[in-house]
Amino acid sequence: MKVFKFGGASVKDAKGVKNVIEVLKKVGNSNILIIVSAMGKTTNALEIVVSHYLNNHPELKNAIDFIKKYHIEILKDLFDNKQHPVFEKVNSLISDMETTLKRNKSVQYDYVYDQIVCYGELIGTTVVSEYLSLEGYVNNWLDAREVIKTDEIYRDATVNWEITQQSIAEKVNKKGLTITQGFIASDTNNFTTTLGREGSDYSAGIFAYCTNANSVSIWKDVPGVLNGDPRVFENTKLLSQISYEEAIELAFYGASVIHPKTLQPLQRKEIPLYVKSFINPLDDGTSVKKGQRLVPHIPCFIVKKDQILLSLSSLDFSFIVEDNISEIFSLFHTYQLKVDLIQNSAISFSVCLDDKFNNFEKLLSHLKAKFSVVYEKSVSLYTIRHFDEEAIQSLEENKDILLKQSTKETYQMVAKQ
Ligand code: ASP
């Protein structure tokens, strides 16, 4: 069996949904599990719904109507028969979402987020599944929440591999064509959980691992993994092959082309990952396999925006040593701040942080009690893997650099945005 993943950009309109069939026609359609993300920017639109709901904002109804209209327009383009049951199915998913909001009693943002944002994936997969059926591609629609089981950490859930493995073995048909969602899962009480933004790639890794799939293909609007995000860097080139380790490093430093957690399950079972263009599905794209050399061997550029550079020194000029460092890290953990770079000297300790959950202010009040704190918000963390002088020079040009460091293969710099 193979696992395919189509992201939101690939199914953002009727043309995109039709293109899924073009890809299947070219590369085959039997024994495939397809993961489809929420269409276009639906997840962002649902985030607005959640925030309007929790803030009692008068625009809540409009925010829901916007999502409804967007999907109905796509359906109208795909289905000539306006009596097709898919219209009813999508409408009833939206009503379910509204009922969930009405009945909800929780004010906990992360919990409400997961119960609502999942509708993007549920609706998107329903549209794709129904359209494939219409076109003669018999398929099974699977609710991923029935098989991917996690803990109760909403918005950043951790997979329970044992239960997940077992339910996938019981419920996933390795033959034929299955359509399911990425990103969403459920906890032991069957409440919806999510695996973090862009988490559908990770779901592809989970399904592949648990079914011993032959390969995973992620279909993208770029030709494969490039040596830099083309929206940020000029003259980017396609990497035709990389190793799991390299891909993990690139994803870790912030290359958004593959979700960082995706690679580990694949590496464990040596399941090859292909990143390919959904526009030219027969092109080779990038293959990620065990022990492969980086081809071509060129510097790879990564940028992570909206980071915080935080520097701490002790209030009494004593050294920053193991016990303070462990205390600082435990606070990062408590407030879910991700550490992307560390630099320390005898009396100061600097880190570049990703404040995905908006907890920095809370962290700050704790730190200020014990340390002298300096910080700069909205900075960018740049990384070059396999750097050379020329690469560093081109990156540093015209930047207000706050910190740099390098190891044998990796150069990093924090600069103002
Ligand atoms: N729909 C989710 C998001 O936009 C998950 C994904 O597409 O990977 O983050």
Side-chain angles (χ1 to χ4, degrees):
M1 195 193 76
K2 289 180 186 160
V3 175
F4 283 3
K5 183 242 156 173
F6 287 90
S10 66
V11 289
K12 66 176 193 301
D13 51 22
K15 196 170 150 228
V17 177
K18 289 180 181 168
N19 188 57
V20 172
I21 292 193
E22 290 310 307
V23 173
L24 294 180
K25 271 188 196 154
K26 289 187 177 132
V27 303
N29 61 62
S30 53
N31 310 339
I32 297 178
L33 178 133
I34 304 183
I35 289 170
V36 184
S37 295
M39 305 177 108
K41 302 254 182 267
T42 303
T43 306
N44 293 357
L46 285 162
E47 285 184 344
I48 295 174
V49 168
V50 176
S51 121
H52 282 0
Y53 168 77
L54 289 172
N55 295 316
N56 279 323
H57 197 291
E59 286 292 304
L60 172 64
K61 193 180 171 306
N62 285 347
I64 297 174
D65 284 349
F66 172 81
I67 293 167
K68 189 170 175 174
K69 248 178 109 187
Y70 168 66
H71 287 96
I72 298 293
E73 284 309 312
I74 295 178
L75 287 182
K76 282 189 191 155
D77 286 345
L78 289 172
F79 297 85
D80 292 337
N81 172 9
K82 305 297 174 264
Q83 306 306 320
H84 191 285
V86 69
F87 286 89
E88 183 47 39
K89 280 193 177 178
V90 169
N91 275 324
S92 87
L93 283 166
I94 306 250
S95 311
D96 283 356
M97 180 175 88
E98 289 174 315
T99 311
T100 307
L101 287 175
K102 264 187 212 125
R103 292 201 182 137
N104 171 63
K105 301 234 162 23
S106 171
V107 288
Q108 201 209 332
Y109 176 79
D110 293 351
Y111 167 79
V112 178
Y113 180 103
D114 283 359
Q115 310 320 305
I116 296 306
V117 161
C118 61
Y119 282 95
E121 330 294 312
L122 295 170
I123 297 171
T125 47
T126 301
V127 175
V128 173
S129 163
E130 290 288 339
Y131 184 69
L132 287 174
S133 301
L134 179 79
E135 291 295 305
Y137 291 81
V138 177
N139 67 87
N140 241 328
W141 183 90
L142 171 75
D143 188 335
R145 297 173 299 179
E146 280 183 26
V147 289
I148 302 192
K149 301 304 275 186
T150 68
D151 62 9
E152 275 116 68
I153 309 293
Y154 301 105
R155 283 182 72 208
D156 198 16
T158 300
V159 173
N160 180 326
W161 286 93
E162 213 174 300
I163 307 180
T164 301
Q165 173 102 55
Q166 205 181 329
S167 23
I168 288 185
E170 279 164 20
K171 293 183 185 153
V172 173
N173 184 359
K174 291 197 195 180
K175 299 256 178 287
L177 197 56
T178 301
I179 310 293
T180 192
Q181 310 79 35
F183 178 54
I184 66 173
S186 68
D187 63 17
T188 36
N189 294 316
N190 291 328
F191 288 118
T192 305
T193 54
T194 61
L195 305 170
R197 283 301 306 263
E198 311 292 332
S200 296
D201 289 1
Y202 182 38
S203 303
I206 299 167
F207 275 107
Y209 180 90
C210 295
T211 55
N212 291 319
N214 298 339
S215 65
V216 173
S217 300
I218 299 182
W219 300 97
K220 293 266 197 198
D221 55 0
V222 286
V225 180
L226 306 175
N227 74 327
D229 182 340
R231 290 166 300 187
V232 183
F233 300 100
E234 285 170 11
N235 303 323
T236 51
K237 294 199 177 70
L238 176 70
L239 304 174
S240 62
Q241 59 169 61
I242 56 177
S243 63
Y244 293 116
E245 290 79 6
E246 187 63 46
I248 289 170
E249 294 286 350
L250 293 175
F252 174 79
Y253 289 119
S256 58
V257 69
I258 308 170
H259 188 278
K261 287 185 190 162
T262 312
L263 279 314
Q264 263 124 340
L266 300 181
Q267 184 184 28
R268 279 245 189 128
K269 290 200 173 167
E270 295 183 19
I271 299 168
L273 169 69
Y274 301 102
V275 182
K276 288 168 154 250
S277 152
F278 60 70
I279 302 153
N280 300 306
L282 294 176
D283 286 1
D284 287 341
T286 303
S287 77
V288 186
K289 291 183 188 162
K290 188 186 170 190
Q292 285 195 136
R293 276 182 316 119
L294 176 67
V295 176
H297 199 279
I298 49 175
C300 299
F301 298 84
I302 304 139
V303 62
K304 252 187 170 176
K305 294 201 165 152
D306 295 321
Q307 306 291 293
I308 303 168
L309 181 63
L310 170 77
S311 298
L312 306 172
S313 46
S314 50
L315 289 167
D316 56 2
F317 297 104
S318 63
F319 294 150
I320 299 262
V321 285
E322 289 76 8
D323 59 341
N324 327 50
I325 293 180
S326 78
E327 190 187 343
I328 297 166
F329 269 87
S330 116
L331 285 172
F332 292 159
H333 179 72
T334 308
Y335 292 110
Q336 297 170 286
L337 279 117
K338 299 244 152 70
V339 178
D340 290 322
L341 173 146
I342 307 166
Q343 197 171 69
N344 80 316
S345 70
I347 51 158
S348 94
F349 176 79
S350 301
V351 278
C352 193
L353 296 169
D354 193 347
D355 184 21
K356 231 175 38 176
F357 294 89
N358 266 326
N359 287 332
F360 183 68
E361 299 304 325
K362 286 183 220 150
L363 168 83
L364 213 52
S365 61
H366 269 89
L367 290 174
K368 277 184 173 163
K370 292 215 151 181
F371 302 96
S372 144
V373 183
V374 183
Y375 64 91
E376 172 109 25
K377 285 188 174 179
S378 303
V379 297
S380 293
L381 170 66
Y382 292 89
T383 304
I384 316 176
R385 291 276 298 157
H386 316 290
F387 60 92
D388 56 23
E389 268 319 304
E390 199 187 323
I392 294 178
Q393 252 176 32
S394 76
L395 190 68
E396 288 186 351
E397 211 171 78
N398 301 326
K399 297 223 171 57
D400 196 345
I401 302 168
L402 302 166
L403 182 155
K404 359 179 190 176
Q405 75 181 22
S406 62
T407 58
K408 194 164 163 270
E409 291 292 349
T410 311
Y411 164 93
Q412 290 194 289
M413 144 187 128
V414 178
K416 288 192 184 171
Q417 241 152 237

